[in-house]
Amino acid sequence: MSDSGADKQPDVQLPNVHVRAEVLVQALPHMQRYDEEVVVIKYGGHAMGDRAAAEDFAEDIVLLEQSGLKPVVVHGGGPQIGRMLDRLGIKSEFREGLRVTDEATVEVVEMVLAGSINKQIVGWISAEGGKAIGLCGKDGNMVRARRAARTVTDPDSHIERHVDLGLVGEPEHVDRTVLDAVLKAELIPVLAPVAVGADNQTYNVNADTFAGAIAGAMRAKRLLLLTDVPGVLDKNKKLIPELSIEDCRRLIADGTITAGMIPKIETCIYALEQGVEAVVILDGKVPHAVLLELFTDYGAGTLIRRS
């Protein structure tokens, strides 16, 4: 081999190569832990609208599948639905801060979620070398839904009253047949949270709730809920790294967990009680948050276990 400088690699590159090798070695036990295990990832929030973040997410999903995991992606799309309704001149009615889904709205919901967003995510994953397939709860009767029951409590009288949200549904039954077949074929399922009821009516299902039902039915090793916040925060707005179900209920009772985080925590508790080993709420805007959580010792959010 020649001793000329032109044939040598610059010394400055060697530390970077060694660091990358060390990172891979450290990731190995994590990969072994999740080998052949189902991991359900709920993808949503403003990270969906950022192209760079979307590409990072797609890379993560492909790497998970290539590493021997069985990723299942569930996505939301609230902002995109809102923009399409505005474009079509369909006015949304809100009750107690929640969007009412009527016949006209549910058609747009299905078009946006099971159509444009679903296929966009499939395209991102395909662009990174993965083989994804877009589905919704209707396909193969995967998810049967019922009309969601919502109540609110009057702060003065403490009387509960029913809130009719129209065609908003909640999962009643999950049939694994299609998902088992897709995963066996080494495809990555990308699921839109639209389902059908026993009345043959289409229902708009909250993406977190949908993901929790899928994770529970699949006895997933992990359920990851990607959000717009770092995780569950204490009263000083500092991240709580780990919680039990009992901790979660206590923090709801004392007012630490409030507003939109409450239904997420309720989804976490449901999934854990259905057999999911652990759930993580993490910030989807962090680059490669999924890989940081699953393949490193540094958790990227709040880990929730049964006890």
Side-chain angles (χ1 to χ4, degrees):
M1 180 179 289
S2 171
D3 290 332
S4 67
D7 294 326
K8 292 182 179 180
Q9 293 293 324
D11 290 342
V12 71
Q13 291 185 7
L14 292 179
N16 290 336
V17 172
H18 293 154
V19 167
R20 291 176 183 177
E22 184 63 27
V23 168
L24 291 173
V25 170
Q26 291 179 3
L28 180 59
H30 299 282
M31 293 178 178
Q32 292 171 331
R33 178 192 307 165
Y34 293 108
D35 187 42
E36 294 297 311
E37 296 284 358
V38 173
V39 175
V40 177
I41 304 108
K42 182 266 178 173
Y43 179 49
H46 295 293
M48 287 182 63
D50 183 280
R51 182 58 183 264
E55 290 174 349
D56 284 348
F57 175 78
E59 288 175 347
D60 288 1
I61 297 302
V62 173
L63 184 55
L64 293 185
E65 199 275 332
Q66 291 292 315
S67 300
L69 283 75
K70 297 179 179 179
V72 176
V73 177
V74 175
H75 65 84
Q80 292 90 333
I81 292 169
R83 287 195 292 270
M84 182 59 74
L85 289 171
D86 290 341
R87 186 183 302 176
L88 296 175
I90 300 174
K91 292 185 178 181
S92 294
E93 179 187 353
F94 288 84
R95 295 176 188 163
E96 303 299 332
L98 300 171
R99 189 197 303 272
V100 177
T101 303
D102 58 15
E103 291 281 358
T105 301
V106 81
E107 287 186 18
V108 175
V109 166
E110 185 169 15
M111 176 179 67
V112 173
L113 289 180
S116 60
I117 295 178
N118 187 270
K119 301 313 174 191
Q120 187 176 46
I121 296 173
V122 168
W124 288 333
I125 294 173
S126 298
E128 300 300 334
K131 293 183 178 180
I133 181 169
L135 302 165
C136 75
K138 286 183 170 184
D139 293 307
N141 291 320
M142 185 191 310
V143 179
R144 186 173 69 243
R146 59 173 175 261
R147 189 178 292 251
R150 292 287 186 272
T151 59
V152 294
T153 303
D154 185 272
D156 298 321
S157 65
H158 301 292
I159 296 175
E160 282 192 346
R161 62 184 180 84
H162 175 71
V163 179
D164 184 6
L165 298 176
L167 300 176
V168 173
E170 55 189 18
E172 185 175 42
H173 176 73
V174 176
D175 186 331
R176 295 178 45 152
T177 305
V178 171
L179 284 176
D180 285 338
V182 167
L183 293 174
K184 185 176 181 180
E186 299 184 351
L187 299 172
I188 301 169
V190 179
L191 310 181
V194 177
V196 69
D199 54 2
N200 205 34
Q201 176 64 61
T202 298
Y203 286 99
N204 174 22
V205 181
N206 174 274
D208 289 334
T209 307
F210 192 98
I214 293 293
M218 299 300 292
R219 300 294 189 270
K221 184 81 168 180
R222 284 287 188 277
L223 166 61
L224 306 184
L225 299 179
L226 273 63
T227 68
D228 295 329
V229 295
V232 181
L233 307 179
D234 64 19
K235 290 186 176 179
N236 296 317
K237 304 303 179 184
K238 292 184 178 180
L239 179 68
I240 302 174
E242 189 164 341
L243 292 168
S244 66
I245 290 178
E246 184 179 346
D247 293 332
C248 290
R249 288 174 172 151
R250 174 175 52 80
L251 292 176
I252 291 174
D254 70 15
T256 300
I257 295 174
T258 60
M261 187 56 73
I262 292 178
K264 289 185 186 297
I265 293 297
E266 290 173 343
T267 290
C268 296
I269 292 173
Y270 170 84
L272 291 168
E273 290 178 340
Q274 294 301 306
V276 176
E277 184 181 277
V279 183
V280 185
I281 298 176
L282 65 162
D283 190 346
K285 301 189 299 295
V286 174
H288 300 294
V290 173
L291 295 186
L292 286 172
E293 175 57 41
L294 295 178
F295 287 168
T296 75
D297 294 328
Y298 305 99
T302 300
L303 177 71
I304 304 173
R305 299 183 186 272
R306 283 188 285 274
S307 60

